Amino acid sequence: MKKFNFFTLIILTTALMGSSFAIGKIGLGYSSPLLLAGLRFFLAGLIMMVIVMIQKREHPSSMKNWGRVLLIGSFQTAGVMGCIFISLRTITASESSILTFMNPLLVIIFGTILLGHRYKWYQWSGVVLGFIGVGITLGGISDFRIGLVFGAFSAVFWAISTLLVNRWSGHFDTWVLSAYQMLLGGGILLFLSSVLEEPFFHVTRHSVFILLWLSIMSSIVQFAVWYFLLQKGDPGRTSSYLFLAPFFGVLTGSVLLDEPISLSLLVGGSFILIGIYLVNITFKKEVIGDMRFVQNKAKSG
């Protein structure tokens, strides 16, 4: 793929990721949080389900694998997105996006503790820098708000779902898994909305546009572009650009909602962006250099 096309698609998918926080916060003016999140992903999952059925993609063949899809949907869609939309009621889109995108840092920690994974020194450096950034960001917040807790839990749920997907991905078609985890997770959110909140959705041109944007552009299109890039390019190189998503979260929060960008948010966010980059990057030059060293040594021997 040409570099220009690659970076254009990277900007598109990370901008859709990051901007969904500000657009979601605008949507809360028309809807209760769990209902809006549930409608977004139930609709997105329904559309994707129709697509994968038309394409006749392979579906899970056992109740065990359907249970795995349900569990992933419970964490990835219901847990992550439910916490994000609740957090947006009391904190800014910028703060919510920064806290949520801590998830790559938590993947390193949970992967090591729970699964015994081993990571490189620079990935652990990214974790340290990332948490220093979180400390700086939160240190500049003068008042505690419950949304900060929900923002942090969205990152925890996302990290857990990432590990589950990595562990079970071989059992599923990626598109089928995404379709049904969104559909089932959206259904869980709709149920939780009926139980935990007084659900409302004011139907206007703006509210319908926001719902369709979140469901189609920020869910289906963003997902399709992201996985297209992962399949066509190097996954490690592509994933390293995830640091752009919280950047767009802060940027769109400032542009669309006039959210102030404080010095602590700017400095702390920069540390977090660098941390995410280090966690995801693969130093291929080092590997190539090591291979050349071995080859030269073999020749000299």
Side-chain angles (χ1 to χ4, degrees):
M1 182 184 297
K2 293 181 180 180
K3 286 187 177 181
F4 176 79
N5 294 337
F6 175 81
F7 284 112
T8 299
L9 292 177
I10 280 289
I11 294 299
L12 173 62
T13 187
T14 53
L16 288 172
M17 285 184 197
S19 64
S20 64
F21 290 84
I23 296 172
K25 191 171 181 68
I26 295 172
L28 292 181
Y30 303 94
S31 175
S32 53
L34 292 178
L35 179 60
L36 181 57
L39 289 173
R40 170 189 176 180
F41 286 99
F42 192 82
L43 178 58
L46 197 60
I47 294 172
M48 284 197 68
M49 181 188 73
V50 172
I51 293 172
V52 298
M53 290 181 70
I54 291 174
Q55 294 179 339
K56 297 182 179 179
R57 290 180 174 270
E58 184 179 357
H59 283 52
S61 57
S62 66
M63 290 302 299
K64 182 177 182 180
N65 280 338
W66 278 113
R68 288 168 172 169
V69 174
L70 177 62
L71 188 60
I72 291 170
S74 299
F75 281 105
Q76 179 62 47
T77 294
V80 175
M81 298 303 164
C83 285
I84 287 174
F85 276 80
I86 293 174
S87 75
L88 289 172
R89 296 185 66 180
T90 55
I91 63 176
T92 67
S94 302
E95 292 166 344
S96 182
S97 64
I98 285 177
L99 289 171
T100 298
F101 281 102
M102 287 194 309
N103 74 87
L105 313 178
L106 297 177
V107 167
I108 300 292
I109 296 174
F110 293 165
T112 300
I113 296 174
L114 301 177
L115 302 177
H117 290 172
R118 299 180 65 181
Y119 298 94
K120 302 293 185 180
W121 64 268
Y122 50 82
Q123 292 174 304
W124 281 107
S125 299
V127 172
V128 173
L129 286 175
F131 278 103
I132 290 174
V134 172
I136 294 172
T137 302
L138 298 182
I141 297 175
S142 57
D143 58 323
F144 175 80
R145 286 153 290 162
I146 192 64
L148 297 172
V149 176
F150 281 102
F153 267 102
S154 68
V156 171
F157 286 135
W158 198 342
I160 293 172
S161 67
T162 298
L163 292 173
L164 291 177
V165 170
N166 287 341
R167 190 177 183 87
W168 294 334
S169 60
H171 297 279
F172 305 102
D173 177 284
T174 302
W175 299 93
V176 171
L177 172 61
S178 297
Y180 286 99
Q181 71 90 8
M182 284 196 290
L183 184 67
L184 294 172
I188 292 171
L189 286 168
L190 292 176
F191 171 76
L192 292 176
S193 171
S194 67
V195 173
L196 301 177
E197 65 182 9
E198 297 181 5
F200 68 90
F201 186 90
H202 300 307
V203 180
T204 68
R205 287 183 302 170
H206 291 98
S207 64
V208 172
F209 174 80
I210 288 170
L211 176 59
L212 291 176
W213 181 274
L214 290 173
S215 298
I216 298 173
M217 296 302 297
S218 293
S219 298
I220 298 174
V221 173
Q222 177 262 304
F223 164 82
V225 173
W226 180 252
Y227 275 89
F228 172 80
L229 291 171
L230 288 176
Q231 291 169 357
K232 295 298 182 180
D234 175 70
R237 179 186 175 219
T238 302
S239 297
S240 68
Y241 289 97
L242 271 176
F243 76 94
L244 290 171
F247 166 77
F248 282 116
V250 173
L251 181 63
T252 54
S254 176
V255 172
L256 298 179
L257 300 169
D258 293 323
E259 293 179 350
I261 301 179
S262 64
L263 180 61
S264 62
L265 183 67
L266 193 62
V267 175
S270 298
F271 272 86
I272 294 171
L273 297 184
I274 295 170
I276 295 171
Y277 180 78
L278 289 173
V279 162
N280 286 289
I281 197 171
T282 54
F283 286 169
K284 285 197 167 183
K285 289 183 179 179
E286 286 187 4
V287 176
I288 293 172
D290 290 342
M291 289 175 63
R292 286 176 178 171
F293 173 78
V294 172
Q295 289 172 351
N296 292 335
K297 190 172 183 180
K299 289 179 181 178
S300 63

